[in-house]
Amino acid sequence: MTELSFQLYSARNVPSLPDFLETLGKLGYTQVEGFGGLYADAAGLAANLKKNGLTMPTGHFGPAQVADVSATLKTAETLGIKKIIVPHIGAEDRSADESKWLKLAETLAGHAETYTKHGYGFGWHNHDFEFVPTTSGRTPMEILLETAPNIEWEADVAWIVRGKADPIAWFDRYGDRITAVHVKDIAPAGENADEDGWADVGYGTLDWDNLITKVKSKTKAQYFVAEHDKPSDEVRFATRSIATAQKWK
């Protein structure tokens, strides 16, 4: 079985996070991935994780958070995070040409140098917009990985597909940079509109039985993180997704 982590952003709307963490533990999860909105009470979160047999080896930190090195290091130490991942950049910081992407890549390269010196992995998590070619023809994803050769990549496979790219081709090209993956699924066309067209893992259009073998053979992924950007039922998503993963060899 692939040990499946759970991105807690998928449960950002639950009435009680402590209760949901208890549910995750009972379902068989042993890992979760954090996100920026959870870190205000890192010590309290760490206690709740421990209580439910959960660890948080990876965590998402926004651009402004990783710029505050001392606060991020303290959060990571408190929660036991090993990989610090920047998950997103706003539209105002993107450009049709290469300019803003080059600037972002240089910034990420600097952060990677800082955090790796402190013993942490440091990487980028993609959406779909990184696969839209710039005016030069290069994609933002290429610019980030080539301009910042020391950053890792948490590959969100479903967002790659939504970006009209072939994830396996990207595994072949940059698999040595991929140290984590987001395990996410896409609903059939016209379905799950209330969930922005996403699906529980194993209940959508992506062939995860095949994809997981490609991830394992072509990348250096250590962490496999289930995510759904807008589940209508977080417990259903968590339950179905780990059941799917338990069937993988």
Side-chain angles (χ1 to χ4, degrees), residues 190-235:
E191 296 185 17
N192 295 10
D194 63 324
E195 298 187 307
D196 288 348
W198 301 111
D200 301 337
V201 180
Y203 289 78
T205 59
L206 298 190
D207 182 5
W208 269 108
D209 290 343
N210 175 57
L211 281 168
I212 201 68
T213 65
K214 300 297 186 185
V215 168
K216 289 181 173 181
S217 65
K218 295 175 178 288
T219 81
K220 293 184 177 179
Q222 301 167 270
Y223 303 104
F224 308 86
V225 186
E227 185 183 46
H228 188 311
D229 284 23
K230 194 182 176 184
S232 60
D233 183 331
E234 296 86 354
V235 174

Side-chain angles (χ1 to χ4, degrees), residues 24-204:
L24 289 180
K26 289 178 178 177
L27 287 172
Y29 287 90
T30 59
Q31 298 178 355
V32 296
E33 182 170 78
F35 69 98
L38 294 179
Y39 304 142
D41 180 16
L45 177 56
N48 268 316
L49 293 174
K50 184 176 181 180
K51 176 183 176 183
N52 292 292
L54 299 167
T55 62
M56 187 181 284
T58 61
H60 284 188
F61 292 79
Q65 289 177 309
V66 293
D68 187 343
V69 176
S70 60
T72 295
L73 288 174
K74 183 177 180 181
T75 297
E77 182 179 5
T78 301
L79 289 166
I81 292 170
K82 297 179 176 66
K83 291 190 183 296
I84 294 166
I85 300 160
V86 181
H88 189 262
I89 198 80
E92 69 280 2
D93 292 316
R94 308 173 206 159
S95 58
D97 63 9
E98 291 197 4
S99 59
K100 289 187 177 181
W101 295 108
L102 287 167
K103 181 179 179 182
L104 173 62
E106 290 163 2
T107 299
L108 293 174
H111 288 324
E113 185 176 353
T114 297
Y115 287 106
T116 54
K117 282 181 180 178
H118 285 90
Y120 294 93
F122 182 87
W124 177 261
H125 163 274
N126 66 277
H127 286 75
D128 55 350
F129 51 78
E130 292 93 335
F131 300 92
V132 178
T134 62
T135 54
S136 73
R138 282 208 300 170
T139 62
M141 201 69 234
E142 290 170 298
I143 294 167
L144 295 179
L145 292 172
E146 291 167 11
T147 308
N150 53 346
I151 67 169
E152 300 175 14
W153 179 13
E154 179 179 62
D156 189 308
V157 177
W159 272 122
I160 296 174
V161 173
R162 278 202 170 179
K164 298 180 172 58
D166 176 4
I168 295 173
W170 284 84
F171 297 165
D172 284 335
R173 189 171 177 189
Y174 293 108
D176 62 334
R177 305 288 292 280
I178 297 172
T179 58
V181 295
H182 266 200
V183 179
K184 184 185 291 184
D185 217 332
I186 300 172
E191 296 185 17
N192 295 10
D194 63 324
E195 298 187 307
D196 288 348
W198 301 111
D200 301 337
V201 180
Y203 289 78

